[in-house]
């Protein structure tokens, strides 16, 4: 078949748009805030050979999971046992899904009785059972985290397998939301099949397969060409989580990156062994961190499909916290993945200083709670993830209060949350002076408070950064650490970053996320930028003076240039003496 560049682009974009329409359908028909508002889901098309072809990118965290899970799940269940109208359900992390909350639905796509491929989506469900509402917490085993779904058939010839649905709903708290979101997943896959069927009817099966092959080849060729432009060599970095949620001991990660011609090897040998705790991630999540970082360092226009993965090798020995053996817990896997992204960027910082950020929030920062809703007597669950500071860059400040790296969820608006759940959020603001000072400053963290006036829910925090803050680069300073606390009868006490507590009526639970690290020496920051931050109440007059060497009149809010010059000379001398 003769290659036509225009038709190639038409089919390439039509495949992506099919998954994007799946995405829109899923969002608009979902029940839970976690999906319809926060967009914690993704949709994709995988061909009959098990190759990722196209994906709608609500969540970069799902860059790899669908493409890696679909061929494995189909092989386990048996492709010969699947027909039109069937669909598989799976969430088992030890089968290389992600964590249990992410439930995957895989639907075979047939055209005239010929298997063309699979449409699939994954959604983070607000609850899948387990030891705490929202199914997040400091658990030791996968069995404590919720209901484990091996590869099972949810749909058979277009009909729901009632026993599977009954079994699932019997194990979850938020039955209405889970059932509604599952129906939305079924509808989304149906939309994907319709759009792909239309594409085949227009161009034919042979043409579609031909251009899928060309698309995957195209991505691989371009990726290898971009990798050849990276500096060759070995790059290393280390980092850690505050603790594993159970033992109190930090979880340490070591990363070595070898750029060799048109290939990149990511080696995590030397990382801590897996823990009987939630802060482990499976091999798919580890691979996701590597894919994400490489995608950020090379041409962003390269289509992400199976071809993109080919130049990447990941070494993660079995039994480490980045590739654990069952039945260890894994609900904190995305927290680990996010931290791996930060560490890998740090590894590249000397070689590619213009392309990497300073340390970021680099955690998902789950907040989940639930109990009996006094308004209707029904059990409810709520989950959200809080934003934090992004690291400063070569030529710009880090954004304030954003989701970082492979996380792309949106926030849960106060108005929607208070309307739909029995909670009040008295404060939602930036945390002043939380930025990492630098020539370009890190982004600010945020503060979010929760209080409950008519019942006592169980509240879980699964987060990090209370002990080890985001680092600065090239003379930039650390961001402020995260802080988690409970205010009872006017007395505030700090609580752990991985904890479950009962919040009494009238108590207030406060979460303050970390700021991003700074880039470059703080005394090189433009005084007018410092003044702007003071005027916007992002930093205080005292911080401007002590960390940036900028003297600002607190009444007139003007820079005293002479005193600023003296302060900055002193900061430079002190830094030189410390060196």
């Amino acid at each position: 078949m003769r290659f036509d560049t225009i038709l190639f682009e038409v089919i390439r974009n039509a495949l992506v748009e099919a998954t994007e329409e799946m995405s829109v359908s899923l969002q608009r028909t979902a029940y839970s805030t976690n999906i319809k508002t926060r967009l914690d889901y993704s949709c994709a098309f995988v061909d009959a050979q098990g190759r990722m072809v196209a994906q709608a990118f609500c969540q970069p965290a799902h860059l790899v999971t669908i493409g890696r899970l679909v061929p494995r799940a189909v092989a386990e269940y048996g492709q010969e046992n699947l027909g039109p109208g069937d669909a598989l359900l799976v969430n088992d992390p030890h089968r290389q899904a992600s964590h249990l909350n992410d439930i995957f639905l895989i639907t075979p796509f047939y055209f005239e009785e010929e298997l063309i491929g699979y449409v699939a989506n994954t959604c983070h469900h607000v609850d899948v059972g387990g030891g705490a509402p929202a199914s997040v917490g400091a658990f030791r085993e996968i069995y404590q985290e919720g209901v484990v779904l091996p590869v099972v058939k949810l749909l058979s010839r277009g009909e729901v397998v009632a026993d599977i649905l009954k079994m699932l709903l019997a194990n979850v708290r938020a039955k209405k939301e889970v059932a509604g979101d599952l129906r939305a997943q079924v509808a989304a896959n149906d939309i994907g099949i319709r759009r792909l069927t239309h594409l085949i009817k227009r161009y034919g099966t042979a043409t579609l397969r031909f251009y899928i092959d060309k698309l995957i080849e195209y991505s691989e060729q371009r990726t290898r060409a971009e990798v050849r432009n990276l500096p060759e060599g070995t790059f290393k970095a280390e980092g850690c989580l505050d603790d594993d949620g159970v033992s109190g001991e930090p979880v340490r990660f070591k990363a070595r990156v070898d750029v060799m011609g048109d290939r990149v090897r990511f080696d995590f040998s030397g990382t801590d062994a897996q823990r009987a705790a939630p802060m482990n991630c499976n091999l798919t999540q580890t691979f996701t961190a590597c894919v994400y970082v490489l995608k950020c360092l090379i041409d962003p226009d390269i289509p992400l499909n199976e071809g993109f993965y080919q130049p990447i090798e990941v070494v993660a020995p079995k039994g480490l916290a980045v590739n654990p053996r069952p039945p260890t817990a894994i609900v904190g896997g995305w927290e680990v993945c996010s931290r791996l992204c930060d560490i890998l960027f740090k590894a590249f910082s000397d070689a590619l200083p213009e392309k990497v950020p300073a340390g970021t929030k680099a955690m998902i920062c789950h907040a989940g709670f639930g109990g009996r809703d006094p308004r209707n007597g029904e059990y409810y669950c709520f989950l959200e993830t809080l934003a934090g500071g992004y690291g400063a860059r070569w030529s710009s400040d880090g954004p304030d209060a954003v989701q970082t790296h492979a996380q792309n969820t949106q926030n849960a608006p106060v108005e929607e949350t208070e309307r739909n759940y029995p909670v009040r959020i008295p404060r939602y603001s930036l945390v002043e002076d939380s930025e990492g000072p630098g020539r370009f400053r890190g982004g600010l963290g945020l503060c979010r408070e929760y209080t409950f006036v008519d019942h006592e829910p169980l509240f879980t925090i699964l987060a990090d950064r209370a002990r080890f803050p985001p680092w600065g680069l090239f003379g930039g300073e650390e961001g402020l650490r995260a802080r988690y606390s409970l205010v009872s009868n006017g007395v505030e006490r700090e609580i752990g970053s991985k904890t479950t507590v009962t919040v009494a009526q009238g108590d207030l639970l406060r979460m303050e996320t970390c700021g991003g690290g700074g880039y470059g020496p703080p005394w090189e920051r433009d005084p007018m930028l410092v003044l702007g931050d003071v005027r916007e109440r992002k930093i205080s007059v005292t911080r401007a003076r002590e960390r940036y060497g900028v003297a600002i009149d607190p009444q007139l809010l003007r820079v005293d240039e002479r005193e600023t010059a003296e302060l900055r000379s002193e900061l430079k001398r002190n830094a030189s003496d410390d060196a």
Side-chain angles (χ1 to χ4, degrees), residues 29 36 85 95 103 127 172 245 248 294 342 355 360 480 499 509 571:
T29 56
K36 68 183 180 183
R95 284 178 165 85
I103 297 180
D127 188 82
V172 304
L294 183 61
D342 233 30
K355 290 193 173 185
T360 74
L480 186 69
T499 189
L509 194 141
L571 287 176

Side-chain angles (χ1 to χ4, degrees), residues 167-277:
M167 183 276 297
L168 175 58
L169 296 181
N171 283 279
V172 304
R173 299 171 179 86
K175 302 182 189 304
K176 183 168 67 175
E177 287 88 349
V178 170
D181 290 347
L182 281 173
R183 288 195 292 269
Q185 288 184 258
V186 172
N189 280 4
D190 186 56
I191 287 290
I193 288 175
R194 291 187 204 176
R195 295 299 167 260
L196 292 170
T197 298
H198 176 77
L199 190 63
I200 287 181
K201 285 182 176 179
R202 183 168 184 179
Y203 295 109
T205 303
T207 298
L208 182 65
R209 285 184 166 151
F210 175 79
Y211 282 102
I212 285 174
D213 288 342
K214 293 300 180 183
L215 174 58
I216 292 172
E217 291 174 10
Y218 172 76
S219 289
E220 181 176 355
Q221 290 171 3
R222 286 195 60 189
T223 303
R224 290 189 184 278
E226 285 288 315
V227 170
R228 280 193 290 269
N229 290 330
L230 295 175
E232 280 205 345
T234 296
F235 313 100
K236 299 179 181 180
E238 299 181 11
C240 59
L241 296 172
D242 291 344
D243 59 88
D244 60 20
V246 174
S247 72
E249 293 297 317
V251 186
R252 303 186 183 280
F253 306 95
K254 291 186 177 181
R256 167 181 169 146
V257 186
D258 296 305
V259 180
M260 306 164 290
D262 63 357
R263 297 182 298 115
V264 185
R265 180 171 60 227
F266 298 87
D267 190 341
F268 297 95
S269 301
T271 290
D272 279 359
Q274 68 184 64
R275 303 289 179 86

Side-chain angles (χ1 to χ4, degrees), residues 504-517:
Q505 294 183 36
D507 284 0
L508 184 140
L509 194 141
R510 177 179 295 136
M511 297 179 66
E512 297 179 26
T513 62
C514 59

Side-chain angles (χ1 to χ4, degrees), residues 311-466:
I312 301 172
E313 178 188 356
V314 175
V315 179
K318 198 73 173 174
L320 300 187
V322 291
N323 187 14
R325 294 185 174 92
T328 192
I330 207 166
V331 68
W334 288 126
E335 303 276 348
V336 176
C337 173
S338 187
R339 188 58 49 84
L340 293 180
C341 292
D342 233 30
I343 293 168
L344 291 173
F345 279 127
K346 186 178 182 181
F348 279 111
S349 59
D350 287 332
L352 298 168
E354 297 182 22
K355 290 193 173 185
V356 302
T360 74
K361 183 192 76 159
M363 60 172 173
I364 304 301
C365 198
H366 294 89
F369 56 86
R372 189 73 61 183
D373 190 336
R375 300 172 300 180
N376 55 27
E378 295 181 1
Y379 202 104
Y380 76 91
C381 278
F382 178 79
L383 177 80
E384 66 176 327
T385 58
L386 303 191
Y390 202 90
R393 285 76 56 85
W394 172 266
S395 60
S396 62
D397 292 341
D400 303 322
V402 293
Q403 306 290 17
T404 59
H405 297 330
Q407 185 184 15
N408 192 40
T409 52
Q410 299 188 17
N411 73 334
V414 171
E415 298 82 0
E416 179 184 5
T417 302
E418 292 186 340
R419 177 178 176 81
N420 292 295
Y421 300 92
V423 61
R424 293 292 176 265
I425 300 174
R427 183 182 178 193
Y428 188 31
S429 65
L430 296 176
V431 178
E432 187 181 44
D433 292 344
S434 60
E435 93 301 350
R439 180 191 313 121
F440 292 101
R441 65 163 177 81
L444 274 66
L446 64 78
C447 174
R448 192 160 169 108
E449 296 176 343
Y450 306 83
T451 189
F452 305 87
V453 298
D454 48 15
H455 70 300
E456 299 186 351
L458 208 59
F459 197 113
T460 296
I461 298 169
L462 187 67
D464 204 69
R465 286 297 196 197

